[in-house]
Amino acid sequence: MILGIVAQMAYAQTYTGKVTDEKGVPLPYATVYLLQDPSIGTATNTEGVFVLQTGVSTQSQVIVSFIGYEKQELRLEQFADSGLYTVRLKEQPLALEETVVSAKAGKQKNKRKQMSELLYKVYNQMQYDFSDDAYKCRIVSDVRMDAEEQPWGMEQMIASVVTLPRLADEGRDSVQFAGEVCKRFFKQEIRNRADSIYQNKKLKKDMRNAAYEVDSGVVVHQGLWALGNIRYDFEKLMKDVRHWSVSNENEGETVLTHIEKHNFLGIFKIEFRRHFIVDSETYRVRSFSEEADAQVSILIGFRVKGLYLDMLNLLNMNNERIEKFRIRRATAKVRLNTIYQTVNGKIYPKEKNLKADALITSTKKEDIPLKIRGTQRVTRIQTENVSALTEKEMTRRMKRTMVEIY
């Protein structure tokens, strides 16, 4: 194996390319990696340009991926020419984002008996479609943060995930997560600002170490994959018939929507909308979309100071440093989309996309907008002879590779 790695390094070639959207606008922090080995990869710079060095065959498949866009699969040889080969990615909106937020009043079926019958038909199909056997996925998870409309950075985690159906609390699927490679991409300016915080003596040692070393089950990536436990959610909510509605937005598709609202003394408000997009004839689930709108209001505001103020300044991309900040309100809109694939007659996740927008407002009406975009794509799936991950695999620590984007 070592000889093979040395041989690849000796014969490494340089491949370059550019990644844009359909209009030709460069996409910074787009990822480019080998399908056979996602750990071999890189990301584009602010001009959408990437440089990849590898000694594998030019016939190897390369995945070009960007959050919120459809991935493209190309051969490495297409980037071997002296010219800058351009890849144009097509936007992939989250399900229902541009079609339906909730079922339209004119199409709602208000009879609870009919709704109950429809929900049971979908549930019965789910029992057949979703396997009760363990399965294992190899995934590439990209999470990007933007602040003040500028990219702050992007982190990529390559991981193995084992799902053990219905072995967790309340009948949920148990998700075991073991990271293999973790890369964090920064612009140099942001890297310097982050380092100044990590080196702060007020920061606890374990928190400083966390900047450069990470658990194999890092929370943000594992949490994103664990969201959208579709069978559990559907089974739990289907009896609440009065909060369901149905619409037929596209030919052959039915959208089942459940709305759940909570209000805690007017201080914390949250609304969940879960959309199950199913085949109108077979009742088979095609995709799942979940939305959450949350708002926190603090009457007199919460004063941010010390280390937390430093962190807030890291997210505030303006040149002016914030000296005082008292949070009055925080709002967040989260959209999660899950796309499924069929393997050996059963349905498994193929891709998950996350879109989160937050706004922190002070008592002086100063705003700090934040955006998080995430995508997790399955590169390999194993459905037979799957063993649970060991405790060591799930808890080991690995180095987080810091990559500066110029």
Coordinates of all heavy atoms in Angstrom, one line a residue, residues 148-195:
E148 N -22.7 38.2 6.4 CA -22.7 39.5 5.7 C -22.5 39.3 4.1 O -21.8 40.0 3.5 CB -21.6 40.4 6.2 CG -21.7 40.7 7.7 CD -22.7 41.7 8.0 OE1 -23.4 42.2 7.1 OE2 -23.0 41.9 9.2
E149 N -23.2 38.2 3.6 CA -23.2 37.9 2.2 C -21.8 37.6 1.6 O -21.6 37.6 0.4 CB -23.8 39.1 1.4 CG -25.2 39.5 1.8 CD -26.2 38.3 1.6 OE1 -26.0 37.6 0.6 OE2 -27.1 38.2 2.4
Q150 N -20.9 37.2 2.5 CA -19.6 36.8 2.1 C -19.3 35.4 2.6 O -19.7 35.0 3.7 CB -18.5 37.7 2.6 CG -18.6 39.1 2.1 CD -17.4 40.0 2.6 OE1 -16.3 39.6 2.5 NE2 -17.8 41.1 3.2
P151 N -18.6 34.5 1.8 CA -18.3 33.2 2.3 C -17.3 33.2 3.5 O -16.2 33.9 3.3 CB -17.7 32.5 1.1 CG -17.2 33.6 0.2 CD -18.1 34.7 0.4
W152 N -17.6 32.6 4.6 CA -16.7 32.6 5.8 C -15.8 31.4 5.7 O -14.6 31.5 6.1 CB -17.6 32.6 7.0 CG -16.9 32.7 8.3 CD1 -16.5 33.8 9.0 CD2 -16.5 31.6 9.1 NE1 -15.9 33.5 10.1 CE2 -15.9 32.1 10.3 CE3 -16.5 30.2 9.0 CZ2 -15.3 31.3 11.3 CZ3 -16.0 29.4 10.0 CH2 -15.4 30.0 11.1
G153 N -16.3 30.3 5.3 CA -15.5 29.1 5.2 C -16.3 27.9 4.9 O -17.6 28.0 4.9
M154 N -15.7 26.8 4.7 CA -16.4 25.5 4.4 C -15.7 24.4 5.0 O -14.4 24.3 5.0 CB -16.6 25.4 2.8 CG -17.5 24.2 2.4 SD -16.7 22.7 2.2 CE -15.8 23.0 0.7
E155 N -16.4 23.4 5.5 CA -15.8 22.2 6.1 C -16.4 21.0 5.4 O -17.6 20.9 5.2 CB -16.1 22.2 7.6 CG -15.4 20.9 8.3 CD -15.4 21.0 9.8 OE1 -14.6 21.7 10.3 OE2 -16.2 20.3 10.4
Q156 N -15.5 20.1 5.1 CA -15.8 18.9 4.5 C -15.5 17.7 5.3 O -14.4 17.6 5.9 CB -15.1 18.7 3.1 CG -15.5 17.5 2.3 CD -14.8 17.4 1.0 OE1 -13.7 16.9 0.9 NE2 -15.5 17.8 -0.1
M157 N -16.4 16.8 5.5 CA -16.2 15.6 6.3 C -16.5 14.3 5.4 O -17.6 14.3 4.8 CB -17.1 15.5 7.5 CG -17.1 14.2 8.3 SD -15.6 13.9 9.2 CE -15.8 14.9 10.6
I158 N -15.6 13.4 5.3 CA -15.8 12.2 4.6 C -16.1 11.1 5.7 O -15.2 11.0 6.6 CB -14.7 11.8 3.7 CG1 -14.5 12.8 2.6 CG2 -14.9 10.4 3.1 CD1 -13.2 12.8 1.9
A159 N -17.2 10.4 5.6 CA -17.5 9.6 6.8 C -18.2 8.3 6.3 O -18.8 8.2 5.2 CB -18.4 10.4 7.7
S160 N -18.2 7.3 7.2 CA -19.0 6.1 7.1 C -20.2 6.2 8.1 O -20.0 6.6 9.2 CB -18.2 4.9 7.4 OG -17.2 4.7 6.4
V161 N -21.4 5.9 7.6 CA -22.6 6.0 8.5 C -23.3 4.6 8.4 O -23.6 4.1 7.3 CB -23.5 7.1 8.0 CG1 -24.7 7.2 9.0 CG2 -22.8 8.4 7.9
V162 N -23.6 4.1 9.6 CA -24.3 2.8 9.7 C -25.7 3.2 10.3 O -25.7 3.8 11.4 CB -23.6 1.8 10.5 CG1 -24.5 0.6 10.8 CG2 -22.4 1.3 9.8
T163 N -26.8 2.8 9.6 CA -28.1 3.0 10.2 C -28.7 1.7 10.6 O -28.7 0.7 9.9 CB -29.0 3.6 9.1 OG1 -28.5 4.9 8.7 CG2 -30.4 3.9 9.7
L164 N -29.1 1.7 11.9 CA -29.7 0.5 12.5 C -31.2 0.8 12.8 O -31.5 1.5 13.7 CB -29.0 0.1 13.8 CG -27.5 -0.1 13.7 CD1 -26.8 -0.2 15.1 CD2 -27.1 -1.3 12.9
P165 N -32.1 0.4 11.9 CA -33.5 0.8 12.0 C -34.1 0.4 13.3 O -34.0 -0.7 13.8 CB -34.1 0.0 10.8 CG -33.0 -0.2 9.8 CD -31.8 -0.4 10.7
R166 N -34.8 1.5 13.8 CA -35.6 1.3 15.0 C -34.9 0.8 16.3 O -35.5 0.1 17.1 CB -36.8 0.5 14.7 CG -37.7 1.0 13.6 CD -38.9 0.2 13.3 NE -39.7 0.8 12.2 CZ -40.7 1.7 12.4 NH1 -40.9 2.2 13.6 NH2 -41.4 2.1 11.4
L167 N -33.7 1.1 16.4 CA -32.9 0.6 17.6 C -32.7 1.8 18.6 O -32.1 1.5 19.7 CB -31.6 0.0 17.2 CG -31.7 -1.4 16.5 CD1 -30.4 -2.0 16.4 CD2 -32.6 -2.3 17.3
A168 N -33.1 3.0 18.3 CA -32.9 4.1 19.2 C -34.1 4.3 20.0 O -35.1 3.6 19.9 CB -32.5 5.4 18.4
D169 N -34.1 5.4 20.8 CA -35.2 5.7 21.7 C -36.5 6.0 20.9 O -36.4 6.5 19.8 CB -34.9 6.9 22.6 CG -33.8 6.6 23.6 OD1 -33.6 5.4 23.8 OD2 -33.2 7.5 24.1
E170 N -37.6 5.6 21.4 CA -39.0 5.9 20.8 C -39.1 5.3 19.4 O -39.8 5.8 18.5 CB -39.2 7.4 20.7 CG -39.2 8.0 22.1 CD -39.6 9.5 22.0 OE1 -38.7 10.3 21.8 OE2 -40.8 9.8 22.1
G171 N -38.3 4.3 19.1 CA -38.5 3.6 17.7 C -37.7 4.4 16.6 O -37.9 4.0 15.5
R172 N -36.9 5.3 17.0 CA -36.1 6.0 15.9 C -35.0 5.1 15.4 O -34.6 4.2 16.1 CB -35.5 7.3 16.5 CG -36.4 8.5 16.6 CD -35.7 9.7 17.1 NE -36.5 10.9 17.0 CZ -36.7 11.7 16.0 NH1 -36.0 11.4 14.9 NH2 -37.5 12.7 16.0
D173 N -34.5 5.4 14.2 CA -33.4 4.7 13.6 C -32.1 5.2 14.4 O -32.0 6.4 14.7 CB -33.2 5.0 12.2 CG -34.3 4.4 11.3 OD1 -35.1 3.7 11.9 OD2 -34.4 4.7 10.1
S174 N -31.3 4.3 14.7 CA -30.0 4.6 15.4 C -29.0 4.9 14.3 O -28.8 4.0 13.4 CB -29.6 3.4 16.3 OG -28.3 3.7 16.8
V175 N -28.4 6.0 14.4 CA -27.4 6.4 13.3 C -26.0 6.4 14.0 O -25.7 7.2 14.9 CB -27.7 7.8 12.8 CG1 -26.6 8.3 11.8 CG2 -29.1 7.8 12.1
Q176 N -25.1 5.6 13.5 CA -23.7 5.6 13.9 C -22.8 6.2 12.9 O -22.9 5.9 11.7 CB -23.3 4.1 14.1 CG -24.1 3.3 15.2 CD -23.6 1.9 15.3 OE1 -23.2 1.3 14.4 NE2 -23.6 1.5 16.6
F177 N -22.0 7.2 13.3 CA -21.3 8.0 12.4 C -19.8 8.0 12.8 O -19.4 8.1 13.9 CB -21.8 9.5 12.6 CG -21.4 10.4 11.6 CD1 -22.2 10.8 10.5 CD2 -20.1 11.1 11.6 CE1 -21.9 11.7 9.6 CE2 -19.7 12.0 10.7 CZ -20.6 12.3 9.6
A178 N -19.0 7.7 11.7 CA -17.5 7.6 11.9 C -16.8 8.4 10.8 O -16.8 8.0 9.7 CB -17.0 6.2 11.9
G179 N -16.3 9.6 11.2 CA -15.6 10.4 10.2 C -14.2 9.8 9.9 O -13.6 9.1 10.7
E180 N -13.8 10.0 8.7 CA -12.5 9.5 8.2 C -11.6 10.6 7.9 O -10.4 10.5 8.2 CB -12.8 8.6 6.9 CG -13.7 7.4 7.2 CD -14.1 6.7 5.9 OE1 -13.5 7.0 4.9 OE2 -15.1 6.0 5.9
V181 N -12.1 11.6 7.2 CA -11.2 12.8 6.8 C -12.0 14.0 7.1 O -13.2 14.1 6.8 CB -10.8 12.7 5.3 CG1 -10.0 13.9 4.9 CG2 -10.1 11.4 5.0
C182 N -11.3 15.1 7.6 CA -12.0 16.4 7.9 C -11.1 17.5 7.3 O -9.9 17.6 7.7 CB -12.3 16.5 9.3 SG -13.2 18.0 9.7
K183 N -11.6 18.3 6.4 CA -10.9 19.4 5.9 C -11.7 20.7 6.1 O -12.9 20.7 6.0 CB -10.7 19.3 4.4 CG -9.9 18.1 4.0 CD -9.8 18.0 2.4 CE -9.1 16.7 2.0 NZ -9.1 16.6 0.5
R184 N -11.0 21.8 6.5 CA -11.7 23.1 6.7 C -11.0 24.0 5.7 O -9.8 24.2 5.7 CB -11.6 23.6 8.1 CG -12.2 25.0 8.3 CD -12.4 25.3 9.7 NE -13.5 24.6 10.3 CZ -13.9 24.8 11.6 NH1 -13.2 25.6 12.4 NH2 -14.9 24.1 12.1
F185 N -11.8 24.7 4.8 CA -11.3 25.6 3.8 C -11.6 27.0 4.3 O -12.7 27.4 4.6 CB -11.9 25.3 2.5 CG -11.7 23.9 1.9 CD1 -12.5 22.9 2.2 CD2 -10.6 23.7 1.1 CE1 -12.2 21.6 1.7 CE2 -10.3 22.4 0.6 CZ -11.1 21.4 0.9
F186 N -10.5 27.9 4.3 CA -10.7 29.2 4.7 C -10.1 30.2 3.7 O -9.1 29.8 3.0 CB -9.8 29.5 6.0 CG -10.5 29.1 7.3 CD1 -10.0 28.1 8.0 CD2 -11.5 29.8 7.7 CE1 -10.6 27.7 9.2 CE2 -12.1 29.5 9.0 CZ -11.6 28.4 9.7
K187 N -10.5 31.4 3.6 CA -9.7 32.4 3.0 C -8.7 32.8 4.0 O -8.9 32.8 5.2 CB -10.6 33.7 2.6 CG -11.5 33.4 1.4 CD -12.0 34.7 0.8 CE -12.8 35.5 1.8 NZ -13.4 36.7 1.1
Q188 N -7.5 33.3 3.6 CA -6.4 33.6 4.5 C -6.8 34.6 5.6 O -6.5 34.5 6.7 CB -5.2 34.1 3.7 CG -4.0 34.2 4.6 CD -2.7 34.5 3.8 OE1 -2.8 34.9 2.6 NE2 -1.6 34.4 4.4
E189 N -7.6 35.6 5.1 CA -8.0 36.7 6.0 C -8.9 36.1 7.2 O -8.7 36.4 8.4 CB -8.8 37.7 5.3 CG -9.5 38.8 6.2 CD -10.6 39.6 5.4 OE1 -10.7 39.4 4.2 OE2 -11.3 40.3 6.1
I190 N -9.8 35.2 6.8 CA -10.7 34.6 7.9 C -9.9 33.7 8.7 O -10.1 33.6 10.0 CB -11.8 33.9 7.2 CG1 -12.7 34.9 6.3 CG2 -12.7 33.2 8.2 CD1 -13.2 36.0 7.1
R191 N -8.9 33.0 8.1 CA -8.1 32.1 8.9 C -7.3 32.8 10.0 O -7.2 32.4 11.1 CB -7.1 31.4 8.0 CG -6.0 30.6 8.6 CD -6.5 29.3 9.2 NE -5.5 28.6 10.0 CZ -4.6 27.8 9.4 NH1 -4.6 27.5 8.1 NH2 -3.7 27.2 10.2
N192 N -6.8 34.0 9.6 CA -6.0 34.8 10.6 C -7.0 35.3 11.7 O -6.6 35.3 12.9 CB -5.4 36.0 9.9 CG -4.3 35.6 8.9 OD1 -3.8 34.5 9.0 ND2 -4.0 36.4 8.0
R193 N -8.2 35.7 11.4 CA -9.1 36.2 12.4 C -9.5 35.1 13.3 O -9.7 35.2 14.6 CB -10.3 36.8 11.7 CG -10.0 38.1 11.0 CD -11.2 38.6 10.2 NE -12.3 39.0 11.0 CZ -13.4 39.6 10.6 NH1 -13.6 39.7 9.3 NH2 -14.4 39.9 11.4
A194 N -9.7 33.9 12.8 CA -10.1 32.7 13.6 C -9.0 32.3 14.5 O -9.2 32.0 15.7 CB -10.5 31.5 12.7
D195 N -7.7 32.3 14.0 CA -6.6 31.9 14.8 C -6.4 32.9 16.0 O -6.0 32.4 17.1 CB -5.3 32.0 14.0 CG -5.2 30.7 13.1 OD1 -5.9 29.8 13.3 OD2 -4.4 30.7 12.1

